[in-house]
Amino acid sequence: MAFAGILKDAEVAAALEACKSAGSFDHTKFFKSCGLAGKSLDDVKKAFAIIDQDQSDFIEEEELKLFLQNFSASARALSDAETKAFLKAGDSDGDGKIGVDEFAAMVKA
């Protein structure tokens, strides 16, 4: 698991189960239920680096669409509506992508 040492497998599994139906993803609930919201800033930055698949220092829309698959390869992709809502929630400077500070603010919100 990519998040070994950062998150507990059981919490991640429960968080994924809670949003397995299309349209049910809520980033705030997910960050809390998987345990990321309670982690240190350093651990949140480690999680960001995992999600930033292309190592561009930003999480772009395509990476957000596949967000859940970072936690489990068998997880579903987010719908277009969920992806756009997720991006809108995290993109505080309006540049169309989420930087590490924006991600940390969203996780800790």
Side-chain angles (χ1 to χ4, degrees):
M1 169 190 252
F3 292 95
I6 301 173
L7 302 175
K8 294 179 179 148
D9 291 351
E11 290 177 344
V12 169
L16 289 169
E17 181 65 26
C19 63
K20 73 177 185 177
S21 300
S24 64
F25 179 75
D26 177 317
H27 67 276
T28 304
K29 288 179 186 174
F30 185 84
F31 290 141
K32 286 180 181 162
S33 62
C34 78
L36 193 57
K39 295 295 179 181
S40 69
L41 182 57
D42 191 48
D43 281 344
V44 171
K45 287 181 177 182
K46 287 177 188 171
F48 176 89
I50 293 166
I51 297 161
D52 178 21
Q53 294 282 317
D54 63 3
Q55 302 301 300
S56 66
D57 294 329
F58 293 98
I59 301 172
E60 293 90 9
E61 190 169 340
E62 192 56 35
E63 290 167 319
L64 284 178
K65 187 170 197 62
L66 303 176
F67 175 78
L68 296 176
Q69 294 171 3
N70 289 289
F71 296 86
S72 173
S74 62
R76 70 179 180 89
L78 297 180
S79 69
D80 288 344
E82 288 170 319
T83 303
K84 290 187 185 318
F86 195 6
L87 180 61
K88 185 177 179 183
D91 181 19
S92 60
D93 63 8
D95 65 357
K97 52 194 175 189
I98 298 173
V100 68
D101 293 333
E102 290 171 315
F103 182 74
M106 187 170 43
V107 168
K108 296 293 190 178

